[in-house]
Amino acid sequence: MTNQYPIPVVVNGAAGKMGREVIKAVAGASDMTLLGAIDHNPELLDKDAGEIAGCGTLEVPITNQFEPMLAMAAQERQLGVMVDFTHPSTVYDSVRSAIAYGVRPVVGTTGMSTQQIQELAEFAEKASTGCLIIPNFSIGMVLLQQAAVQASKYFDHVEIIELHHNQKADAPSGTAVQTAKLLAELGKSYNPPLVKEEEKLAGARGSLAEEGIRIHSVRLPGLIAHQEVIFGAPGQVYTLRHDTSDRACYMPGVLLAIRQVTQLKSLVYGLEKIL
């Protein structure tokens, strides 16, 4: 039987570009309710989250009271969910706190280390609390990654280029790192060297991920989020590319994650795991 209560959602990073999109999406979802909007911009405290997001008055004020908001979410009849689009420097502590309160995190913030993610996975397992960490909520990006995995069976040379706006704090992007990891998990190494390379400028060849995969990061105003996976072989180049032109493209994935995380008892990494 369908739960009669809407899912209470707290948005952490509510005044950011992604946070505002999440507020609009949650406000428009019939099975969810915006319980809280957390942000630390002092100029926006106590202002209506809906008005900040551009979707009209929601009577939910922006607050910087993080733990009291988690405590409130934990008291709801339906399992509470925290959507986090904040900063790599704070996301680990925020997610751990949410799990401690029994609030299910849906995390779009990238930049956590492998060790931090493993620690959160162990903590969520012990608490029997669902947690979703999603480097990229775009279904199109999941399809690109799946196509890259198929192509890698036939190509031994591959490099990744990711391009983002110049306000993104981490590099390479979590999506690019995840893409490289998916290719590395296939049990083969890439880009066997033909010459001894010498970088005239440090970093000219990008960062070196697992199994010889190179990742190059571009940061420029005017970009949103873009990624290319380029395969090369004698006489041919095969390029996969995904471009984001509006952050609204992530919202179907965000809403799906909010619905799915309430059914989980542990941490799951990647949108492809819940499609």
Side-chain angles (χ1 to χ4, degrees):
M1 185 174 67
T2 303
N3 197 307
Q4 60 180 315
Y5 300 110
I7 302 170
V9 178
V10 174
V11 180
N12 192 23
K17 293 176 180 178
M18 284 298 293
R20 297 181 193 211
E21 290 294 333
V22 174
I23 287 170
K24 287 191 284 188
V26 169
S30 61
D31 59 341
M32 300 176 193
T33 183
L34 182 67
L35 180 68
I38 303 168
D39 203 275
H40 293 282
N41 185 337
E43 297 179 1
L44 299 179
L45 292 181
D46 298 324
K47 293 189 176 181
D48 188 274
E51 293 178 0
I52 296 299
C55 60
T57 302
L58 296 177
E59 297 184 351
V60 177
I62 300 284
T63 179
N64 59 6
Q65 299 300 302
F66 179 69
E67 294 213 6
M69 186 56 64
L70 292 181
M72 183 185 300
Q75 299 301 315
E76 292 292 302
R77 293 181 177 180
Q78 170 66 297
L79 293 175
V81 174
M82 179 191 75
V83 179
D84 191 290
F85 281 101
T86 53
H87 191 274
S89 64
T90 60
V91 60
Y92 173 83
D93 290 335
S94 297
V95 174
R96 187 174 178 86
S97 293
I99 294 171
Y101 276 95
V103 177
R104 274 63 178 166
V106 169
V107 186
T109 307
T110 59
M112 279 191 287
S113 67
T114 301
Q115 180 180 348
Q116 286 178 319
I117 293 172
Q118 181 59 39
E119 289 174 0
L120 290 175
E122 293 172 359
F123 189 49
E125 186 80 31
K126 290 178 181 178
S128 296
T129 299
C131 175
L132 278 169
I133 298 179
I134 312 290
N136 194 302
F137 284 93
S138 168
I139 293 172
M141 180 55 70
V142 172
L143 296 175
L144 179 148
Q145 290 173 332
Q146 292 175 345
V149 168
Q150 291 300 313
S152 68
K153 299 175 183 177
Y154 307 100
F155 291 89
D156 295 326
H157 296 263
V158 60
E159 302 210 4
I160 299 169
I161 303 174
E162 57 94 354
L163 310 91
H164 282 79
H165 54 88
N166 60 336
Q167 296 180 11
K168 183 171 178 59
D170 58 314
S173 70
T175 302
V177 171
Q178 184 195 28
T179 304
K181 183 175 178 60
L182 290 171
L183 298 179
E185 287 174 349
L186 298 177
K188 64 183 289 187
S189 294
Y190 300 87
N191 305 318
L194 300 180
V195 297
K196 183 178 180 181
E197 292 186 348
E198 179 184 355
E199 289 185 325
K200 297 298 186 180
L201 291 174
R205 289 289 290 118
S207 57
L208 185 60
E210 298 176 60
E211 302 297 348
I213 301 170
R214 296 278 181 179
I215 304 177
H216 308 265
S217 297
V218 177
R219 297 291 179 268
L220 289 170
L223 297 170
I224 297 181
H226 317 261
Q227 180 171 290
E228 291 184 356
V229 182
I230 306 174
F231 294 91
Q236 63 177 320
V237 172
Y238 179 47
T239 301
L240 298 167
R241 180 173 173 118
H242 180 264
D243 294 291
T244 300
S245 59
D246 192 311
R247 290 177 177 83
C249 75
Y250 301 119
M251 293 308 107
V254 171
L255 296 181
L256 173 64
I258 292 171
R259 295 179 181 115
Q260 292 289 335
V261 75
T262 62
Q263 309 301 315
L264 300 176
K265 300 294 184 183
S266 60
L267 186 150
V268 173
Y269 186 93
L271 184 66
E272 72 278 1
K273 303 288 180 55
I274 61 171
L275 288 177

